[in-house]
Amino acid sequence: MDVQPDEWIENNDDLMNNESGGEHEYMIMLFYIYTVIESVADTITFQKNLCEELFLKGRIRVSAEGLNVVLSGTKSNLQCYENRLLAHLNGTVTSQDLDVKYCPFRSDIPASKQLFDYLSIKKTKDLVSLEDQLGDEETNTFKPAPHLSPKEWHEALQSATSEDSIIIDARNVYESKIGYFTTPFQDGCGAPTLLTNTRRYSQLPPILKESVHHLAGKNIYMYCTGGVRCEKVSQYVQKLANSDDWIGEKPKVFQLKGGIQRYLETYGHLEADNVDDESSDQIMHKSDGNFSQSCLFQGKNFVFDQRRFDPQVGVGTVGACNMCSMPHFDYDNGHSPSENREARCCRCRILVLICSSCREKVVCAGEEFSQGKIRVFCGLNGTQCINEGNDFHFEFKRHVRIIP
Protein backbone atom coordinates (compact mmCIF):
# COMPACT_ATOMS: atom_id res chain seq x y z
CA MET A 1 0.00 0.00 0.00
CA ASP A 2 1.35 3.43 -0.91
CA VAL A 3 1.53 6.30 1.56
CA GLN A 4 -1.20 8.93 1.63
CA PRO A 5 -0.58 12.17 -0.29
CA ASP A 6 -0.32 14.12 3.01
CA GLU A 7 2.37 11.73 4.27
CA TRP A 8 4.21 12.00 0.96
CA ILE A 9 4.13 15.80 1.18
CA GLU A 10 5.54 15.81 4.70
CA ASN A 11 8.37 13.46 3.79
CA ASN A 12 9.60 15.29 0.66
CA ASP A 13 11.56 18.52 0.85
CA ASP A 14 11.45 19.17 -2.85
CA LEU A 15 7.77 19.24 -3.82
CA MET A 16 8.70 20.06 -7.41
CA ASN A 17 10.33 16.63 -7.81
CA ASN A 18 7.66 14.12 -8.76
CA GLU A 19 9.32 10.77 -9.45
CA SER A 20 8.68 10.44 -13.19
CA GLY A 21 8.03 6.95 -14.46
CA GLY A 22 8.18 5.26 -11.05
CA GLU A 23 5.37 3.47 -9.25
CA HIS A 24 5.21 6.33 -6.74
CA GLU A 25 4.81 8.96 -9.44
CA TYR A 26 1.68 11.02 -8.90
CA MET A 27 -0.65 11.23 -11.88
CA ILE A 28 -4.18 12.07 -12.96
CA MET A 29 -6.49 9.25 -14.06
CA LEU A 30 -9.18 10.16 -16.56
CA PHE A 31 -11.84 7.93 -18.13
CA TYR A 32 -15.52 7.44 -18.82
CA ILE A 33 -17.52 4.36 -19.66
CA TYR A 34 -21.06 3.92 -20.89
CA THR A 35 -22.31 0.68 -19.34
CA VAL A 36 -25.47 -0.32 -17.50
CA ILE A 37 -25.15 0.27 -13.75
CA GLU A 38 -27.69 -1.97 -12.05
CA SER A 39 -27.41 -0.30 -8.63
CA VAL A 40 -26.13 3.26 -8.50
CA ALA A 41 -26.17 3.21 -4.68
CA ASP A 42 -24.04 0.05 -4.48
CA THR A 43 -21.63 1.46 -7.06
CA ILE A 44 -21.21 4.67 -5.07
CA THR A 45 -20.43 2.63 -1.94
CA PHE A 46 -17.90 0.52 -3.87
CA GLN A 47 -16.23 3.61 -5.34
CA LYS A 48 -16.03 5.34 -1.96
CA ASN A 49 -14.50 2.34 -0.20
CA LEU A 50 -12.01 1.66 -3.00
CA CYS A 51 -10.84 5.27 -3.28
CA GLU A 52 -10.43 5.61 0.47
CA GLU A 53 -8.46 2.36 0.63
CA LEU A 54 -6.13 3.54 -2.16
CA PHE A 55 -5.92 7.18 -0.97
CA LEU A 56 -7.37 8.46 -4.24
CA LYS A 57 -9.19 11.77 -4.48
CA GLY A 58 -11.09 13.57 -7.21
CA ARG A 59 -14.53 13.51 -8.84
CA ILE A 60 -16.71 10.55 -9.83
CA ARG A 61 -20.11 10.80 -11.49
CA VAL A 62 -22.23 7.66 -11.25
CA SER A 63 -25.39 7.26 -13.28
CA ALA A 64 -27.49 4.38 -14.55
CA GLU A 65 -25.70 4.81 -17.89
CA GLY A 66 -22.12 4.54 -16.59
CA LEU A 67 -19.17 6.26 -14.91
CA ASN A 68 -17.25 9.49 -15.49
CA VAL A 69 -14.05 9.58 -13.42
CA VAL A 70 -11.10 11.90 -12.76
CA LEU A 71 -8.81 11.00 -9.85
CA SER A 72 -5.33 11.82 -8.57
CA GLY A 73 -2.96 9.47 -6.78
CA THR A 74 0.17 7.41 -7.25
CA LYS A 75 0.52 5.55 -10.51
CA SER A 76 0.52 2.17 -8.77
CA ASN A 77 -2.63 2.94 -6.78
CA LEU A 78 -4.43 4.28 -9.84
CA GLN A 79 -3.52 1.11 -11.74
CA CYS A 80 -4.78 -0.93 -8.79
CA TYR A 81 -8.04 1.02 -8.93
CA GLU A 82 -8.43 0.17 -12.63
CA ASN A 83 -7.82 -3.53 -12.02
CA ARG A 84 -10.22 -3.66 -9.07
CA LEU A 85 -12.89 -1.80 -11.04
CA LEU A 86 -12.60 -4.24 -13.96
CA ALA A 87 -12.96 -7.15 -11.56
CA HIS A 88 -15.98 -5.49 -9.95
CA LEU A 89 -17.62 -5.05 -13.36
CA ASN A 90 -17.24 -8.82 -13.76
CA GLY A 91 -16.22 -8.99 -17.42
CA THR A 92 -18.91 -6.67 -18.76
CA VAL A 93 -16.23 -4.08 -19.53
CA THR A 94 -12.67 -4.54 -20.80
CA SER A 95 -9.57 -2.42 -20.30
CA GLN A 96 -9.95 -1.29 -23.91
CA ASP A 97 -13.49 -0.17 -23.15
CA LEU A 98 -12.32 1.93 -20.18
CA ASP A 99 -9.50 3.50 -22.22
CA VAL A 100 -7.99 4.95 -19.04
CA LYS A 101 -5.72 7.92 -19.59
CA TYR A 102 -2.83 8.27 -17.13
CA CYS A 103 -1.84 11.93 -17.30
CA PRO A 104 1.45 13.34 -15.98
CA PHE A 105 1.74 16.30 -13.64
CA ARG A 106 3.17 19.60 -14.78
CA SER A 107 6.82 20.14 -13.86
CA ASP A 108 6.56 23.91 -13.28
CA ILE A 109 4.40 23.81 -10.14
CA PRO A 110 4.69 21.61 -7.02
CA ALA A 111 3.20 18.14 -7.36
CA SER A 112 1.47 18.58 -4.00
CA LYS A 113 -0.59 21.43 -5.44
CA GLN A 114 -1.79 19.33 -8.38
CA LEU A 115 -3.44 16.66 -6.22
CA PHE A 116 -7.16 16.78 -5.55
CA ASP A 117 -7.78 17.54 -1.88
CA TYR A 118 -11.29 16.07 -1.81
CA LEU A 119 -13.28 13.05 -2.97
CA SER A 120 -16.68 13.78 -4.54
CA ILE A 121 -18.86 10.87 -5.68
CA LYS A 122 -22.23 11.94 -7.02
CA LYS A 123 -25.31 10.24 -8.36
CA THR A 124 -26.28 11.97 -11.60
CA LYS A 125 -28.78 11.55 -14.37
CA ASP A 126 -26.11 11.82 -17.10
CA LEU A 127 -22.34 11.32 -17.29
CA VAL A 128 -21.97 14.92 -18.43
CA SER A 129 -24.19 17.89 -17.60
CA LEU A 130 -26.84 18.06 -20.29
CA GLU A 131 -30.00 19.85 -21.21
CA ASP A 132 -33.07 17.81 -22.13
CA GLN A 133 -32.30 18.54 -25.80
CA LEU A 134 -29.11 16.50 -25.54
CA GLY A 135 -30.23 13.82 -23.14
CA ASP A 136 -33.79 13.10 -24.28
CA GLU A 137 -35.02 9.71 -25.45
CA GLU A 138 -35.09 10.68 -29.13
CA THR A 139 -31.42 11.72 -29.05
CA ASN A 140 -30.50 8.44 -27.42
CA THR A 141 -32.06 6.45 -30.28
CA PHE A 142 -29.08 7.47 -32.41
CA LYS A 143 -25.74 5.73 -31.90
CA PRO A 144 -22.68 7.83 -31.04
CA ALA A 145 -20.61 8.69 -34.11
CA PRO A 146 -17.80 6.35 -35.20
CA HIS A 147 -14.53 6.86 -33.34
CA LEU A 148 -11.32 7.74 -35.17
CA SER A 149 -8.02 6.77 -33.57
CA PRO A 150 -5.45 9.59 -33.23
CA LYS A 151 -3.73 8.29 -36.37
CA GLU A 152 -7.00 8.10 -38.34
CA TRP A 153 -7.98 11.57 -37.11
CA HIS A 154 -4.58 12.99 -38.06
CA GLU A 155 -4.78 11.54 -41.55
CA ALA A 156 -8.38 12.69 -42.04
CA LEU A 157 -7.60 16.29 -41.08
CA GLN A 158 -4.55 16.36 -43.31
CA SER A 159 -6.73 15.78 -46.36
CA ALA A 160 -9.80 17.77 -45.20
CA THR A 161 -10.82 20.92 -47.08
CA SER A 162 -13.50 23.57 -46.66
CA GLU A 163 -15.42 21.99 -49.53
CA ASP A 164 -16.00 18.67 -47.84
CA SER A 165 -15.28 19.01 -44.11
CA ILE A 166 -15.78 21.00 -40.93
CA ILE A 167 -14.35 20.56 -37.42
CA ILE A 168 -16.47 21.10 -34.32
CA ASP A 169 -14.80 21.98 -31.03
CA ALA A 170 -17.33 20.69 -28.48
CA ARG A 171 -15.62 22.46 -25.57
CA ASN A 172 -16.19 25.85 -23.94
CA VAL A 173 -14.77 29.22 -24.94
CA TYR A 174 -12.18 29.39 -22.14
CA GLU A 175 -10.86 25.97 -23.21
CA SER A 176 -10.50 26.71 -26.93
CA LYS A 177 -8.79 30.04 -26.17
CA ILE A 178 -5.59 28.24 -25.24
CA GLY A 179 -5.66 25.39 -27.75
CA TYR A 180 -7.50 23.91 -30.74
CA PHE A 181 -7.02 21.81 -33.88
CA THR A 182 -6.20 23.34 -37.21
CA THR A 183 -5.68 21.73 -40.61
CA PRO A 184 -3.01 22.02 -43.30
CA PHE A 185 -3.98 24.13 -46.28
CA GLN A 186 -5.12 22.21 -49.34
CA ASP A 187 -4.93 24.39 -52.46
CA GLY A 188 -4.97 27.45 -50.18
CA CYS A 189 -7.95 26.34 -48.12
CA GLY A 190 -8.05 24.05 -45.09
CA ALA A 191 -11.13 22.77 -43.26
CA PRO A 192 -12.73 25.44 -41.02
CA THR A 193 -13.52 24.99 -37.35
CA LEU A 194 -16.75 25.85 -35.59
CA LEU A 195 -15.68 27.34 -32.25
CA THR A 196 -18.96 27.23 -30.37
CA ASN A 197 -17.89 29.82 -27.77
CA THR A 198 -20.13 28.42 -25.05
CA ARG A 199 -19.60 28.75 -21.32
CA ARG A 200 -21.37 25.51 -20.53
CA TYR A 201 -21.62 22.26 -22.46
CA SER A 202 -25.42 22.29 -22.21
CA GLN A 203 -25.55 25.47 -24.36
CA LEU A 204 -24.51 23.61 -27.50
CA PRO A 205 -27.95 22.71 -28.99
CA PRO A 206 -28.99 26.26 -30.08
CA ILE A 207 -25.48 26.88 -31.43
CA LEU A 208 -25.63 23.78 -33.58
CA LYS A 209 -29.16 24.58 -34.77
CA GLU A 210 -27.97 27.98 -35.99
CA SER A 211 -25.06 26.32 -37.79
CA VAL A 212 -26.88 23.75 -39.95
CA HIS A 213 -26.03 25.62 -43.15
CA HIS A 214 -22.32 25.16 -42.30
CA LEU A 215 -22.75 21.48 -41.44
CA ALA A 216 -25.00 20.16 -44.20
CA GLY A 217 -23.38 17.61 -46.50
CA LYS A 218 -20.02 17.80 -44.74
CA ASN A 219 -17.73 15.37 -43.00
CA ILE A 220 -18.00 16.59 -39.41
CA TYR A 221 -14.94 15.93 -37.25
CA MET A 222 -15.79 16.48 -33.59
CA TYR A 223 -13.47 16.62 -30.59
CA CYS A 224 -13.29 17.49 -26.88
CA THR A 225 -10.82 16.95 -24.02
CA GLY A 226 -11.17 13.22 -23.39
CA GLY A 227 -14.10 12.16 -25.55
CA VAL A 228 -17.10 11.99 -23.23
CA ARG A 229 -18.79 15.20 -24.42
CA CYS A 230 -18.62 14.15 -28.07
CA GLU A 231 -20.54 10.95 -27.38
CA LYS A 232 -23.76 12.88 -26.68
CA VAL A 233 -23.14 15.77 -29.07
CA SER A 234 -22.57 13.38 -31.98
CA GLN A 235 -25.92 11.77 -31.18
CA TYR A 236 -27.58 15.19 -31.07
CA VAL A 237 -26.13 16.22 -34.46
CA GLN A 238 -27.57 13.05 -36.00
CA LYS A 239 -30.93 13.78 -34.39
CA LEU A 240 -30.74 17.34 -35.74
CA ALA A 241 -29.89 16.05 -39.23
CA ASN A 242 -33.07 13.96 -39.17
CA SER A 243 -35.31 16.81 -37.99
CA ASP A 244 -37.30 19.57 -39.76
CA ASP A 245 -34.59 22.06 -38.67
CA TRP A 246 -32.07 20.49 -41.06
CA ILE A 247 -31.55 22.00 -44.51
CA GLY A 248 -29.52 20.16 -47.16
CA GLU A 249 -27.72 16.84 -47.26
CA LYS A 250 -27.11 14.85 -44.14
CA PRO A 251 -23.54 14.94 -42.80
CA LYS A 252 -21.15 12.16 -41.93
CA VAL A 253 -20.13 12.55 -38.28
CA PHE A 254 -16.89 11.33 -36.68
CA GLN A 255 -15.39 11.79 -33.23
CA LEU A 256 -11.81 11.64 -31.95
CA LYS A 257 -11.35 8.58 -29.73
CA GLY A 258 -9.84 9.58 -26.42
CA GLY A 259 -10.08 13.26 -27.32
CA ILE A 260 -7.23 15.75 -27.37
CA GLN A 261 -5.55 13.84 -24.56
CA ARG A 262 -4.98 10.71 -26.63
CA TYR A 263 -4.01 12.68 -29.73
CA LEU A 264 -1.29 14.60 -27.88
CA GLU A 265 0.08 11.40 -26.38
CA THR A 266 0.79 10.38 -29.98
CA TYR A 267 1.59 13.64 -31.77
CA GLY A 268 2.36 16.15 -29.01
CA HIS A 269 5.34 16.56 -26.73
CA LEU A 270 5.89 17.06 -23.02
CA GLU A 271 6.21 20.75 -22.25
CA ALA A 272 9.51 20.13 -20.49
CA ASP A 273 10.97 18.65 -23.69
CA ASN A 274 13.67 20.70 -25.38
CA VAL A 275 12.10 21.89 -28.62
CA ASP A 276 13.82 25.29 -28.80
CA ASP A 277 15.89 24.31 -31.81
CA GLU A 278 12.87 23.46 -33.95
CA SER A 279 10.49 25.78 -35.71
CA SER A 280 7.23 25.71 -33.74
CA ASP A 281 5.13 25.02 -36.82
CA GLN A 282 7.38 22.21 -37.97
CA ILE A 283 7.93 20.26 -34.72
CA MET A 284 8.29 16.57 -35.50
CA HIS A 285 7.16 13.93 -33.04
CA LYS A 286 8.15 10.31 -32.56
CA SER A 287 5.51 7.63 -32.79
CA ASP A 288 6.36 3.92 -32.57
CA GLY A 289 10.01 4.67 -33.27
CA ASN A 290 9.33 6.64 -36.45
CA PHE A 291 8.96 10.36 -36.98
CA SER A 292 5.41 11.36 -37.87
CA GLN A 293 4.23 14.49 -39.57
CA SER A 294 3.84 17.65 -37.49
CA CYS A 295 1.18 17.97 -34.79
CA LEU A 296 -2.17 19.46 -35.85
CA PHE A 297 -3.14 20.62 -32.37
CA GLN A 298 -2.13 24.17 -31.58
CA GLY A 299 -1.41 25.27 -28.00
CA LYS A 300 -2.47 23.52 -24.78
CA ASN A 301 -5.17 21.12 -23.63
CA PHE A 302 -7.32 22.73 -20.92
CA VAL A 303 -8.28 20.23 -18.20
CA PHE A 304 -10.72 20.29 -15.28
CA ASP A 305 -8.33 19.33 -12.50
CA GLN A 306 -5.66 21.02 -10.40
CA ARG A 307 -3.25 21.35 -13.36
CA ARG A 308 -5.44 23.63 -15.55
CA PHE A 309 -3.69 22.31 -18.65
CA ASP A 310 -1.96 19.03 -19.44
CA PRO A 311 1.83 19.08 -19.95
CA GLN A 312 1.39 17.10 -23.17
CA VAL A 313 1.12 20.06 -25.53
CA GLY A 314 0.80 20.87 -29.21
CA VAL A 315 2.44 23.53 -31.32
CA GLY A 316 3.05 27.13 -30.30
CA THR A 317 0.89 29.48 -28.22
CA VAL A 318 -2.59 30.37 -29.45
CA GLY A 319 -3.83 32.41 -26.48
CA ALA A 320 -3.39 36.16 -26.11
CA CYS A 321 -3.62 38.67 -23.27
CA ASN A 322 -7.06 40.25 -23.23
CA MET A 323 -5.56 43.68 -22.57
CA CYS A 324 -2.38 44.02 -24.62
CA SER A 325 -2.84 41.11 -27.10
CA MET A 326 0.61 39.66 -26.40
CA PRO A 327 0.80 35.84 -26.68
CA HIS A 328 -0.30 34.31 -23.39
CA PHE A 329 -1.85 30.99 -22.29
CA ASP A 330 -1.73 30.86 -18.49
CA TYR A 331 -4.91 31.86 -16.64
CA ASP A 332 -3.00 31.47 -13.34
CA ASN A 333 0.18 33.38 -14.24
CA GLY A 334 2.61 30.82 -12.88
CA HIS A 335 0.57 29.91 -9.82
CA SER A 336 -1.13 26.61 -9.15
CA PRO A 337 -4.88 26.59 -9.89
CA SER A 338 -5.35 25.35 -6.32
CA GLU A 339 -4.18 28.76 -5.07
CA ASN A 340 -7.26 30.41 -6.64
CA ARG A 341 -5.26 33.30 -8.11
CA GLU A 342 -6.58 32.95 -11.66
CA ALA A 343 -7.76 36.01 -13.61
CA ARG A 344 -11.55 36.31 -13.85
CA CYS A 345 -13.92 38.94 -15.20
CA CYS A 346 -15.04 41.29 -12.42
CA ARG A 347 -18.68 41.02 -13.50
CA CYS A 348 -19.43 37.55 -14.90
CA ARG A 349 -16.38 35.77 -13.40
CA ILE A 350 -15.38 33.87 -16.55
CA LEU A 351 -11.68 33.02 -16.85
CA VAL A 352 -9.71 35.76 -18.64
CA LEU A 353 -6.21 35.61 -20.11
CA ILE A 354 -4.13 38.47 -18.65
CA CYS A 355 -0.35 38.43 -19.13
CA SER A 356 1.91 38.83 -16.09
CA SER A 357 2.82 42.41 -16.99
CA CYS A 358 -0.81 43.52 -17.26
CA ARG A 359 -1.83 41.40 -14.27
CA GLU A 360 0.10 43.72 -11.95
CA LYS A 361 -2.09 46.61 -13.08
CA VAL A 362 -5.55 45.09 -12.67
CA VAL A 363 -7.99 43.78 -10.11
CA CYS A 364 -9.92 40.61 -10.93
CA ALA A 365 -13.10 39.08 -9.53
CA GLY A 366 -12.76 38.18 -5.86
CA GLU A 367 -9.83 40.55 -5.27
CA GLU A 368 -9.92 43.64 -3.11
CA PHE A 369 -9.83 46.87 -5.10
CA SER A 370 -6.51 48.70 -4.88
CA GLN A 371 -5.78 52.35 -5.65
CA GLY A 372 -4.07 52.81 -9.00
CA LYS A 373 -5.37 49.54 -10.42
CA ILE A 374 -8.30 49.00 -12.77
CA ARG A 375 -10.98 46.32 -12.76
CA VAL A 376 -10.66 43.87 -15.61
CA PHE A 377 -13.51 42.43 -17.69
CA CYS A 378 -13.90 39.78 -20.37
CA GLY A 379 -14.51 42.12 -23.33
CA LEU A 380 -11.94 43.46 -25.77
CA ASN A 381 -9.05 45.21 -23.99
CA GLY A 382 -10.60 44.20 -20.68
CA THR A 383 -12.72 47.34 -20.47
CA GLN A 384 -16.24 45.88 -20.39
CA CYS A 385 -18.07 42.65 -19.66
CA ILE A 386 -19.65 40.96 -22.65
CA ASN A 387 -20.95 38.04 -20.58
CA GLU A 388 -18.73 35.87 -22.74
CA GLY A 389 -20.06 32.43 -23.52
CA ASN A 390 -23.56 33.20 -22.26
CA ASP A 391 -24.97 35.21 -25.16
CA PHE A 392 -25.38 32.19 -27.49
CA HIS A 393 -23.21 33.95 -30.05
CA PHE A 394 -21.09 31.63 -32.13
CA GLU A 395 -18.00 32.34 -34.15
CA PHE A 396 -17.45 30.48 -37.39
CA LYS A 397 -13.72 30.73 -37.79
CA ARG A 398 -11.49 29.61 -40.63
CA HIS A 399 -8.00 28.90 -39.28
CA VAL A 400 -5.76 30.82 -41.65
CA ARG A 401 -3.14 31.98 -39.13
CA ILE A 402 0.02 29.90 -38.99
CA ILE A 403 1.56 29.99 -35.51
CA PRO A 404 5.05 31.45 -35.92
Side-chain angles (χ1 to χ4, degrees):
M1 178 72 64
D2 288 332
V3 296
Q4 294 191 46
D6 288 345
E7 296 173 355
W8 177 81
I9 291 169
E10 292 174 0
N11 293 320
N12 283 264
D13 294 329
D14 184 7
L15 297 180
M16 294 289 288
N17 183 22
N18 188 25
E19 183 190 351
S20 178
E23 66 175 6
H24 298 297
E25 177 187 6
Y26 278 83
M27 306 190 80
I28 297 290
M29 163 188 272
L30 174 70
F31 74 90
Y32 69 92
I33 182 68
Y34 281 95
T35 186
V36 176
I37 302 295
E38 297 290 349
S39 173
V40 171
D42 289 348
T43 300
I44 289 175
T45 299
F46 169 80
Q47 291 288 335
K48 181 177 183 295
N49 292 339
L50 181 58
C51 288
E52 289 179 348
E53 178 185 338
L54 297 173
F55 310 119
L56 305 178
K57 296 183 178 182
R59 298 187 304 271
I60 301 176
R61 295 170 67 95
V62 184
S63 82
E65 65 179 4
L67 300 168
N68 190 0
V69 178
V70 55
L71 295 169
S72 66
T74 62
K75 182 178 181 180
S76 57
N77 280 1
L78 291 170
Q79 290 173 330
C80 181
Y81 169 93
E82 179 182 359
N83 292 333
R84 295 271 292 276
L85 175 61
L86 287 169
H88 176 75
L89 294 172
N90 199 28
T92 59
V93 170
T94 68
S95 179
Q96 288 75 23
D97 295 328
L98 285 185
D99 191 27
V100 174
K101 304 159 190 72
Y102 291 95
C103 312
F105 276 12
R106 288 167 52 182
S107 61
D108 59 325
I109 54 178
S112 61
K113 293 185 177 181
Q114 299 178 66
L115 294 165
F116 284 106
D117 58 4
Y118 64 87
L119 177 62
S120 172
I121 306 176
K122 291 184 178 181
K123 175 183 177 180
T124 61
K125 178 183 176 182
D126 305 290
L127 293 194
V128 287
S129 299
L130 303 170
E131 285 184 343
D132 290 341
Q133 297 177 80
L134 280 173
D136 63 14
E137 292 184 5
E138 185 182 353
T139 299
N140 291 331
T141 61
F142 294 92
K143 293 183 178 180
H147 296 86
L148 299 181
S149 69
K151 183 175 184 293
E152 291 169 330
W153 174 272
H154 188 81
E155 292 174 350
L157 294 197
Q158 283 184 315
S159 60
T161 72
S162 61
E163 296 299 318
D164 57 30
S165 303
I166 185 170
I167 305 167
I168 294 181
D169 187 339
R171 302 172 301 153
N172 297 308
V173 60
Y174 49 85
E175 299 173 77
S176 60
K177 276 193 173 181
I178 67 170
Y180 49 73
F181 277 100
T182 186
T183 61
F185 294 115
Q186 305 293 332
D187 298 323
C189 190
T193 293
L194 178 63
L195 297 175
T196 55
N197 284 355
T198 56
R199 187 175 298 199
R200 298 185 306 278
Y201 173 66
S202 58
Q203 294 173 326
L204 276 172
I207 305 295
L208 295 172
K209 277 187 178 181
E210 291 185 46
S211 307
V212 295
H213 57 292
H214 295 304
L215 308 178
K218 297 292 181 66
N219 295 317
I220 297 177
Y221 298 103
M222 186 180 298
Y223 70 92
C224 59
T225 306
V228 65
R229 285 178 278 186
C230 286
E231 299 284 354
K232 288 291 186 183
V233 179
S234 68
Q235 288 177 287
Y236 177 76
V237 170
Q238 293 176 79
K239 169 190 169 182
L240 186 62
N242 285 274
S243 72
D244 293 337
D245 294 314
W246 194 264
I247 301 173
E249 296 180 35
K250 293 181 181 179
K252 294 181 180 179
V253 187
F254 305 93
Q255 57 177 318
L256 173 58
K257 182 174 177 59
I260 302 167
Q261 185 69 43
R262 277 285 186 247
Y263 179 87
L264 289 178
E265 289 174 6
T266 304
Y267 293 99
H269 65 276
L270 275 172
E271 192 171 34
D273 291 351
N274 181 11
V275 295
D276 294 339
D277 294 332
E278 300 180 85
S279 170
S280 61
D281 62 340
Q282 292 294 325
I283 293 176
M284 306 299 284
H285 310 277
K286 279 192 173 182
S287 177
D288 299 325
N290 298 312
F291 280 107
S292 63
Q293 295 191 14
S294 57
C295 182
L296 299 179
F297 188 81
Q298 311 274 304
K300 303 185 186 300
N301 183 21
F302 186 105
V303 293
F304 292 92
D305 56 55
Q306 302 291 6
R307 300 171 300 160
R308 190 80 73 191
F309 59 83
D310 192 276
Q312 290 278 0
V313 299
V315 179
T317 297
V318 302
C321 174
N322 205 43
M323 298 189 70
C324 69
S325 299
M326 290 295 292
H328 184 66
F329 61 82
D330 188 2
Y331 288 110
D332 305 280
N333 296 90
H335 298 284
S336 165
S338 63
E339 298 178 63
N340 298 316
R341 298 180 65 175
E342 69 273 15
R344 291 184 179 272
C345 174
C346 279
R347 182 176 178 271
C348 71
R349 296 187 58 83
I350 194 171
L351 287 167
V352 181
L353 286 170
I354 305 294
C355 72
S356 296
S357 177
C358 292
R359 189 70 173 88
E360 298 175 355
K361 308 170 188 176
V362 302
V363 174
C364 295
E367 298 176 350
E368 185 176 347
F369 184 75
S370 177
Q371 194 69 29
K373 293 188 176 183
I374 60 173
R375 289 186 173 88
V376 72
F377 299 96
C378 59
L380 185 63
N381 300 323
T383 57
Q384 62 179 333
C385 174
I386 59 173
N387 201 20
E388 188 171 31
N390 273 338
D391 59 1
F392 293 96
H393 169 73
F394 70 90
E395 174 187 357
F396 186 72
K397 179 177 179 180
R398 191 183 304 277
H399 292 303
V400 296
R401 183 167 65 94
I402 298 176
I403 305 298

